[in-house]
Amino acid sequence: MNVLVFGRTGQVASELARIAPEARFVGREEADLAQPAACARLIAESGAKIVINAAAYTAVDRAESEEDIATLINGAAPSAMAAAARRIGAAFVHISTDYVFDGSGKTPWPADAPVGPISAYGRSKLAGEDGVRAAGGAYAILRTSWVFSAHGSNFLKTMLRLAGTHETLRVVADQVGGPTPASDLARAVLEIGRQLVAHPELSGTYHFSAAPDVSWADFARKIFAQAGCPTTVTDIATADYPTPARRPMNSRLDCSRTETVFGLQRPDWKYGITKILKEMDAMR
């Protein structure tokens, strides 16, 4: 099946390249998301049956001072992509984020829960969601959280790097979510795209994150335990680690709709750590 992926070197795109090497992957030099019309033209000429947007502006803190460009890339570009995919009859899968919620409460967010982003990045991603829905056609918006892998920049790699020079690390303990291996997310994205081709009536908004939900601090502890690092973790509050952008305190996602509709269960992030550590060892 003809698959077009926006993104080439990111975490999810790298994993998609493993499981779908026959797909066409386009990077910034070929399709700059800051030029939505160019992205739409590429789709129009592609003949794709599935279009996956695995590219985004992800600099959460910098977005506070660059909201216009973040919204262009995360909002206008996927909106144009979705409309172009609809015109050629392709299924469109767009990766979104828990940042569209305000992070209140302690219960998992259902896919149809009211949104209320508290950061420029969250607002930019919500603009993309709204545009994809408005475009119509066969589409899936797949929200996820805390993606990690052996590639790119992510929490696991940061913790392991810091463990090399620190005996103790202070890590936020009052933000809770589901760390999600990029490999599992990539498989989910591809499977949803395939099902949408056959059943466009399944279009909608879905959640996919790994289980169980955990704090950043406890996630770090598990990373160090599985990596055999002696580094210890000291719990701190979000208020003790100020950043330009506010982060959701509650990033728990209710993924039951995704399981019911597409048959995709939440993976175990602890197993994901094991696989990624082995991959990183092999890369040394």
Side-chain angles (χ1 to χ4, degrees):
M1 187 173 291
N2 191 343
V3 180
L4 175 65
V5 180
F6 284 85
R8 179 176 291 162
T9 60
Q11 296 189 79
V12 179
S14 295
E15 297 297 340
L16 281 167
R18 294 186 186 189
I19 61 174
E22 73 284 357
R24 178 184 176 188
F25 294 82
V26 293
R28 184 177 302 174
E29 70 287 347
E30 189 176 359
D32 187 348
L33 270 66
Q35 299 179 20
C39 296
R41 284 195 297 272
L42 191 150
I43 292 172
E45 299 165 357
S46 69
K49 292 298 183 182
I50 300 173
V51 178
I52 297 170
N53 183 27
Y57 180 111
T58 58
V60 174
D61 287 323
R62 194 167 71 236
E64 293 298 307
S65 59
E66 295 184 352
E67 187 163 358
D68 287 349
I69 185 64
T71 303
L72 177 63
I73 293 171
N74 291 343
S79 303
M81 291 177 192
R86 174 184 56 78
R87 286 192 290 270
I88 66 169
F92 183 67
V93 184
H94 174 62
I95 300 173
S96 193
T97 174
D98 59 288
Y99 277 67
V100 300
F101 297 114
D102 65 14
S104 61
K106 294 186 177 180
T107 58
W109 294 97
D112 59 357
V115 293
I118 57 176
S119 67
Y121 170 72
R123 290 189 293 271
S124 74
K125 292 295 288 185
L126 180 58
E129 290 192 5
D130 290 341
V132 170
R133 293 189 195 95
Y139 75 90
I141 295 165
L142 190 63
R143 296 180 183 136
T144 191
S145 63
W146 301 13
V147 179
F148 67 102
S149 71
H151 310 281
S153 299
N154 58 73
F155 183 80
L156 178 143
K157 292 181 68 178
T158 298
M159 288 297 101
L160 292 177
R161 174 175 55 80
L162 292 174
T165 56
H166 294 72
E167 294 182 357
T168 301
L169 288 172
R170 301 167 73 243
V171 183
V172 171
D174 55 0
Q175 295 175 23
V176 177
T180 307
S183 57
D184 292 302
L185 180 57
R187 281 190 287 271
V189 165
L190 191 59
E191 177 59 24
I192 288 172
R194 287 169 173 163
Q195 292 197 37
L196 278 176
V197 170
H199 300 284
E201 70 276 8
L202 301 180
S203 295
T205 304
Y206 297 90
H207 289 170
F208 185 83
S209 65
D213 294 320
V214 67
S215 71
W216 285 118
D218 285 339
F219 184 32
R221 289 188 179 94
K222 192 63 178 180
I223 291 169
F224 295 147
Q226 291 190 215
C229 294
T231 303
T232 59
V233 174
T234 299
D235 290 0
I236 63 170
T238 296
D240 298 324
Y241 188 72
T243 57
R246 294 174 61 193
R247 265 69 172 173
M249 304 287 280
N250 175 22
S251 292
R252 302 170 180 89
L253 297 176
D254 181 343
C255 303
S256 57
R257 176 184 290 181
T258 307
E259 181 175 353
T260 299
V261 174
F262 296 110
L264 296 169
Q265 297 184 343
R266 296 181 72 183
D268 186 335
W269 55 260
K270 295 185 293 297
Y271 179 59
I273 291 176
T274 300
K275 292 195 299 181
I276 291 166
L277 290 176
K278 289 180 179 179
E279 181 179 353
M280 293 176 70
D281 283 341
M283 292 166 60
R284 291 192 178 97

